[in-house]
Amino acid sequence: MSERFDIIVAGAGMAGASLAALLAASGARVLLLEAETQPGYHSTGRSAAFWTESYGGAGVQPLTMASGPPLRDGGYLTERGALTIARRGQEAQLESFASEFEGLGVRVERLGREALLARIPGLCDDWTTGALEPDCSDIDVARLHQDYLAAARRAGAELWIRARLASAVRDGDGWLVTCEDGRAARAGLLVNAAGAWADEVAQRAGVTKLGFTPMLRTIAQIRTRPEPPEDLPLVLDLNEKFYFKPEAGKLWLSPHDEVPVPPCDAAPEELAVAEAIDRLQNVVNWEVERVDHKWAGLRTFAPDRLPVYGIDAHEPRFFWFAGQGGFGIQTAPAAAGLAAGLITGSGDFPVDPAPYSPGRFS
């Protein structure tokens, strides 16, 4: 026998958990399937944990901006500030960056060399100009994810762990979904929130894949001398070759790598860590004492690098909620609200859903 639900959501990371919470609250009977032993094991649990409106580009910015108020109201954000820095000779490029996002409603302050030094002690001479986004904040990712899961559970959603989807077969007006361990359930709608495995889930449901690419991103937690100031902003390179921020007296550092890989349990590459440290030493004159910890996560992109939210162009009982890249945490409230509005037919959208429709790939 198989249980009957209204909606089955494949994937219980931030995407699946946030959407399940809203759908269950609307009265739908929801089943969350999680392939691992715990939700959030992959990308959600390995996030660099910041919210900044320019990250992800102009196409992602509306989702980020719309997510700001609920994240702040929920107490998930702590002010940090983000500072995008540029080398001598890149002034026009930085001004273009600042003007683009300022035109979208993002607060941006231009900083010269002295103002940069005041915020980044030991900054090397070649870095002369910057764009400060004062509203950037750290995100309490773990609490946000757990709160979504708890809200879904309180509203009646059910969570199955170790429930990797083996097949999904159209059954009357819906689906018969079978997990690799033999558990089965039926539902009228299947939501694909499987992150790096989104195309794999689609294929197992007989739906044409969209061409998602998982990209490996490395982060190292290092000790430096001097220690990074606790009020150091998130520092990003205009050319997207690094970013770093302080964390409890240490530095979280990434080479901003994007290495295409198959869906997997991502592991950090030693070369990527070495590259990150080498790049840091061309930014500040701090001594790197040691690497305390390193990890990697997967950022999964659609071909045009925008998220995909909506009903499949050819299968009306299959809903895409995937391709969040590295922006799924900072856009979670708006993305879930948009998807819930599409699924329930409420028409209540925090942003225009049209740019994220899977129909754009038809």
Side-chain angles (χ1 to χ4, degrees), residues 89-102:
Q90 291 186 306
E91 291 84 1
Q93 189 179 344
L94 185 87
E95 177 58 32
S96 177
F97 166 87
S99 296
E100 177 183 21
F101 287 100
E102 205 168 44

Side-chain angles (χ1 to χ4, degrees), residues 1-39:
M1 289 290 292
S2 54
E3 288 190 67
R4 178 77 192 188
F5 296 86
D6 298 315
I7 301 167
I8 295 174
V9 179
M14 188 67 77
S18 58
L19 181 53
L22 296 188
L23 293 175
S26 74
R29 188 162 186 238
V30 178
L31 172 63
L32 262 173
L33 299 180
E34 172 53 53
E36 306 296 346
T37 58
Q38 64 185 46

Side-chain angles (χ1 to χ4, degrees), residues 30-316:
V30 178
L31 172 63
L32 262 173
L33 299 180
E34 172 53 53
E36 306 296 346
T37 58
Q38 64 185 46
Y41 175 77
H42 292 287
S43 297
T44 296
R46 309 180 195 195
S47 166
F50 55 77
W51 178 94
T52 189
E53 290 158 293
S54 65
Y55 202 63
V60 173
Q61 183 269 343
L63 292 162
T64 304
M65 180 171 278
S67 295
L71 290 172
R72 285 195 191 89
D73 293 347
Y76 301 107
L77 299 184
T78 303
E79 289 185 5
R80 165 67 58 196
L83 181 51
T84 299
I85 60 175
R87 296 178 184 270
R88 185 177 288 107
Q90 291 186 306
E91 291 84 1
Q93 189 179 344
L94 185 87
E95 177 58 32
S96 177
F97 166 87
S99 296
E100 177 183 21
F101 287 100
E102 205 168 44
L104 294 171
V106 179
R107 287 205 301 154
V108 183
E109 300 172 15
R110 281 77 162 171
L111 303 183
R113 170 71 186 174
E114 292 305 313
L116 292 184
L117 272 173
R119 290 167 172 81
I120 313 173
L123 185 68
C124 295
D125 293 343
D126 199 32
W127 301 93
T128 58
T129 186
L132 177 69
E133 296 170 59
D135 295 327
C136 169
S137 299
D138 294 332
I139 306 175
D140 189 340
V141 176
R143 186 168 73 86
L144 179 63
H145 185 223
Q146 290 302 313
D147 284 355
Y148 276 133
L149 289 170
R153 184 173 59 250
R154 286 194 303 270
E158 192 168 330
L159 170 66
W160 291 1
I161 59 171
R162 300 186 186 89
R164 189 176 299 277
L165 187 147
S167 68
V169 179
R170 279 301 302 264
D171 179 48
D173 62 351
W175 299 92
L176 172 61
V177 173
T178 304
C179 300
E180 289 184 352
D181 63 2
R183 283 178 289 178
R186 285 182 163 82
L189 181 70
L190 176 59
V191 174
N192 185 355
W197 286 263
D199 271 343
E200 182 179 304
V201 165
Q203 288 184 298
R204 293 187 178 192
V207 173
T208 302
K209 64 182 184 179
L210 296 183
F212 290 104
T213 303
M215 302 277 197
L216 188 139
R217 169 61 53 87
T218 305
I219 300 178
Q221 179 178 278
I222 64 175
R223 291 185 182 269
T224 64
R225 182 177 299 176
E227 289 186 357
E230 273 305 303
D231 62 352
L232 182 76
L234 167 69
V235 179
L236 306 106
D237 173 33
L238 180 64
N239 288 339
E240 298 187 346
K241 296 297 184 182
F242 61 79
Y243 57 78
F244 56 84
K245 72 171 190 173
E247 184 70 28
K250 303 173 187 178
L251 195 73
W252 281 15
L253 169 68
S254 174
H256 212 291
D257 48 337
E258 286 189 357
V259 181
V261 294
C264 63
D265 186 355
E269 299 284 346
E270 292 296 337
L271 179 59
V273 174
E275 286 177 340
I277 292 172
D278 180 67
R279 292 170 188 177
L280 177 70
Q281 292 175 328
N282 287 299
V283 179
V284 291
N285 61 10
W286 308 342
E287 177 186 351
V288 176
E289 295 185 321
R290 68 173 183 269
V291 177
D292 275 356
H293 181 49
K294 53 186 181 292
W295 67 96
L298 298 180
R299 302 154 49 90
T300 301
F301 293 95
D304 62 1
R305 296 180 68 91
L306 286 182
V308 184
Y309 306 139
I311 291 291
D312 183 76
H314 305 290
E315 176 46 76

